[in-house]
Each structure stands twice: as C-alpha cells, then as structure tokens.
Amino acid sequence: LYTGDAPPIFNIESINYAYIKKQGLYIVGATRIDVSPPLILELLTRIFKIIKDFCGYFNEEIIRKNFVLIYEILDEIIDFGCPQLTSSE
C-alpha cells in the first residue's frame, strides 16, 4: 500500500506517531496517550505554517539558522503538551 514512506499515523511499542512531509522535511509528533489523529496532523500543519511565516521559508538551513527562534515558537505553541497559540497573527 505505502511505498517508501510509512503511513502518516502509526504506532510502535505503545507510542503513537504522526508526521507530515513538507518541502522534503518531516515534521513529527509523538504521544503515549490516545489523541485524535486529525488533531495531531492539523497541529503539525500549523507548526509548519507558523515557522514559514516567521522565517520566510522552510528548509534545513533555515531551521539551523533560526533554531532558537523555532524553539521559542514551539514553546509558545505547545504548553505542557497541550496546543495553545497556533496563529502567527
């Protein structure tokens, strides 16, 4: 069914993984509790959009150069494991 990539949502040893692939990079979320898969995929998509809004582009070099900024963005988006602010406005 899937060639190359794993399915976008899968479970290994009681850990749920979800990922999106944008511009050749994977954005991955992992959780030990049951969470709605569309919620995780939507959160990952919003994380991509916010990083792209702040940095102008999304690639490996941009992530390296702006690691501290991206870390702070993620800290604002996810507070104690719960999504909070998911808009760049």
Side-chain angles (χ1 to χ4, degrees):
L1 178 66
Y2 294 97
T3 57
D5 292 338
I9 301 168
F10 57 94
N11 182 296
I12 298 176
E13 297 180 11
S14 300
I15 300 175
N16 301 311
Y17 296 91
Y19 75 89
I20 59 172
K21 186 176 180 181
K22 297 286 189 177
Q23 299 178 352
L25 296 175
Y26 292 92
I27 303 173
V28 181
T31 179
R32 291 179 189 249
I33 61 173
D34 289 331
V35 179
S36 171
L39 173 74
I40 297 174
L41 294 175
E42 179 66 23
L43 178 62
L44 296 175
T45 302
R46 288 185 184 208
I47 288 171
F48 164 76
K49 290 176 75 175
I50 290 170
I51 292 171
K52 191 173 177 183
D53 286 349
F54 273 90
C55 298
Y57 195 70
F58 187 83
N59 63 24
E60 195 173 341
E61 186 65 26
I62 293 294
I63 292 171
R64 266 195 218 108
K65 287 182 178 180
N66 296 293
F67 180 78
V68 174
L69 173 64
I70 292 170
Y71 183 83
E72 291 296 323
I73 290 170
L74 291 173
D75 188 41
E76 290 295 321
I77 294 173
I78 302 169
D79 194 19
F80 296 105
C82 297
Q84 301 294 319
L85 304 169
T86 57
S87 175
S88 59
E89 295 175 353

